[in-house]
Amino acid sequence: MASFATRSASQAIRASRRVSGIAAKAALRPAQTASYSLLARAAAAKAAQTPVVHGVRGIKTLDFAGVKETVYERSDWPLAKLQDYFKNDTLALIGYGSQGHGQGLNARDNGLNVIVGVRENGESWRQAIEDGWVPGETLFPIEEAINKGTIIMNLLSDAAQSQTWPKIAPLIVPGKTLYFSHGFSVVYKEDTKVIPPKDVDVILVAPKGSGRTVRTLFKEGRGINSSIAVWQDVTGKAKEKAVAIGVAVGSGYMYETTFEKEVYSDLYGERGVLMGGIQGLFLAQYQVLRKNGHSPSEAFNETVEEATQSLYPLIGQKGMDYMFNACSTTARRGALDWAPIFEKANVPIFEKLYESVKNGTETRKSLEYNSRSTYRQDLAKELAEIDNQEIWRAGKVVRSLRPDYKSDSE
Ligand SMILES: NC(=O)c1ccc[n+]([C@@H]2O[C@H](COP(=O)([O-])OP(=O)(O)OC[C@H]3O[C@@H](n4cnc5c(N)ncnc54)[C@H](OP(=O)(O)O)[C@@H]3O)[C@@H](O)[C@H]2O)c1
């Protein structure tokens, strides 16, 4: 369904583009040729000489399998318009984890004025210097960066957002905008104590992927899908600003939602099919194969390798029906019979998971765990345990036989 929706979305966007924007398109064409990629920096100088056109070609309301939703697209924001929109702003990225890295470098490559604020001499400080941020010029301790910025992009870990809030809150003064990439801190305010001041815009752009993907898609000239939302609109421009920043940090299409919906779906998805569920399902299938005498390589190939290398990419490209059609009649028959059995068995687990997200249990666990001073070491230990499971040790050997093999450390 998801990929069908995506397909209809891009078809509809293409169609609406054809109909709605002919005149505006002609006006926007010179700036639109500038790409949102690494080349954008070079293009920035050229774009500065290009006449700025603030043409809005309209919001796209698309029909997603019978439900109308609003989608914003990057092509409404040619580089020159984007740079003009933020010409008086300093984007202060607070935190330099995966999202800080991806969003920060993309906004910088788009020619915007970006600075980074992180703990001095921590891991992120070192990483930021490696990426070309310069101490005292574009890299500052957190509080200094907030004072210098107009758009405060809080990209600390969710636990750190809560821990540092007492120091950060007084610095978010009128005129600044507060930005998040997750609804976590403000939606679960009873637990996090993050309560934004009433007199600033509070917005969200949540890329639907790791910060590394935010960066690689941008470098390829593509854009990641992101959710956008407004928590507080003081200036009347909060939504427009969210869309513009979404474009600045590397989004291609932006889907409108609320802070609450974003955080519920995100916590649910990552615990479910995206990460927790898939590790659990892979492991369960592998264990039963091993118990029944199958070798590690056979169990791994039949569980992970074929999924990730052959079948899941087909789902990603053209949908579940396409993947089914690409398989044998024997496989199709069995999969059609077993899918509803898995669905039925799993719905109660997903119900339980959604409730655990909604009632804040997941948030409290995450805050407790990630607020420990040893959070990096604790996490490394648990991940090492996964890495040491037989399934993933077998996987390393299988991967090493691929023609394009690169060692995991490369
Ligand atoms: N990663 C994703 O896939 C993803 C996707 C969409 C949205 N998001 C959201 O984006 C935001 C950032 O996530 P992320 O994954 O990029 O970062 P992260 O890895 O969760 O956080 C890393 C940053 O937090 C800092 N930090 C941790 N504890 C701190 C403390 N006590 N005081 C000061 N700084 C502290 C780290 O600095 P040090 O190096 O100094 O420890 C580092 O700069 C979160 O709201 C997250 O939910 C993430």
Side-chain angles (χ1 to χ4, degrees), residues 101-119:
H101 163 90
Q103 297 188 27
L105 293 182
N106 291 354
R108 186 173 79 179
D109 285 345
N110 275 334
L112 305 189
N113 185 18
V114 188
I115 59 174
V116 171
V118 287
R119 290 195 275 210

Side-chain angles (χ1 to χ4, degrees), residues 12 50 72 77 82 90 106 108 149 166 310 333 355 367 398 407:
T50 312
Y72 299 86
W77 288 86
L82 192 75
T90 299
N106 291 354
R108 186 173 79 179
S310 170
R333 181 66 263 140
E355 184 50 33
L367 283 173
V398 172
S407 85

Side-chain angles (χ1 to χ4, degrees), residues 297 392-402 405:
S297 70
W392 300 116
R393 280 189 282 122
K396 274 184 201 162
V397 185
V398 172
R399 282 201 297 281
S400 74
L401 300 176
R402 286 186 199 153
Y405 171 70

Side-chain angles (χ1 to χ4, degrees), residues 69 139 155 238 262 349 361 404 410:
E69 298 190 44
L139 175 61
L155 295 176
E262 188 282 331
I349 301 173
T361 305
D404 57 351
E410 276 175 64

Side-chain angles (χ1 to χ4, degrees), residues 149-351:
T150 55
I151 298 174
I152 312 305
M153 302 172 67
N154 197 332
L155 295 176
L156 295 172
S157 75
D158 296 306
Q161 290 180 22
S162 174
Q163 286 175 318
T164 56
W165 186 246
K167 280 193 181 162
I168 288 182
L171 309 178
I172 312 292
V173 295
K176 293 192 195 279
T177 296
L178 185 57
Y179 165 105
F180 294 95
S181 281
H182 203 4
F184 191 98
S185 289
V186 293
V187 170
Y188 295 107
K189 53 186 181 304
E190 280 77 24
D191 296 301
T192 63
K193 311 293 177 216
V194 175
I195 300 170
K198 282 269 165 255
D199 43 13
V200 299
D201 288 348
V202 182
I203 58 176
L204 170 143
V205 176
K208 295 290 111 185
S210 138
R212 302 283 151 188
T213 320
V214 171
R215 183 63 179 153
T216 43
L217 287 180
F218 177 84
K219 286 208 283 191
E220 289 166 13
R222 298 158 66 197
I224 194 152
N225 284 347
S226 295
S227 295
I228 58 149
V230 171
W231 180 259
Q232 234 169 239
D233 186 4
V234 171
T235 60
K237 299 228 157 110
K239 195 200 287 180
E240 182 186 59
K241 218 181 303 173
V243 174
I245 300 186
V247 172
V249 300
S251 315
Y253 290 107
M254 286 148 284
Y255 296 74
E256 197 171 341
T257 185
T258 64
F259 270 62
E260 205 165 60
K261 292 260 166 59
E262 188 282 331
V263 71
Y264 287 3
S265 58
D266 194 75
L267 294 180
Y268 175 78
E270 65 205 9
R271 279 154 184 74
V273 159
L274 302 180
M275 294 170 71
I278 205 71
Q279 158 71 0
L281 205 60
F282 278 164
L283 210 55
Q285 170 160 317
Y286 181 90
Q287 279 167 7
V288 172
L289 282 168
R290 291 286 289 130
K291 257 189 217 154
N292 283 282
H294 297 268
S295 70
S297 70
E298 187 166 64
F300 183 85
N301 278 328
E302 204 54 50
T303 302
V304 180
E305 192 72 353
E306 186 168 342
T308 58
Q309 302 308 300
S310 170
L311 302 191
Y312 292 179
L314 298 180
I315 304 171
Q317 282 156 25
K318 296 194 177 178
M320 190 61 85
D321 62 330
Y322 181 78
M323 187 273 271
F324 270 50
N325 266 323
C327 294
S328 71
T329 47
T330 314
R332 265 182 250 162
R333 181 66 263 140
L336 286 167
D337 292 342
W338 277 88
I341 299 171
F342 278 106
E343 184 187 339
K344 200 166 167 213
N346 278 293
V347 164
I349 301 173
F350 280 106
E351 299 277 16

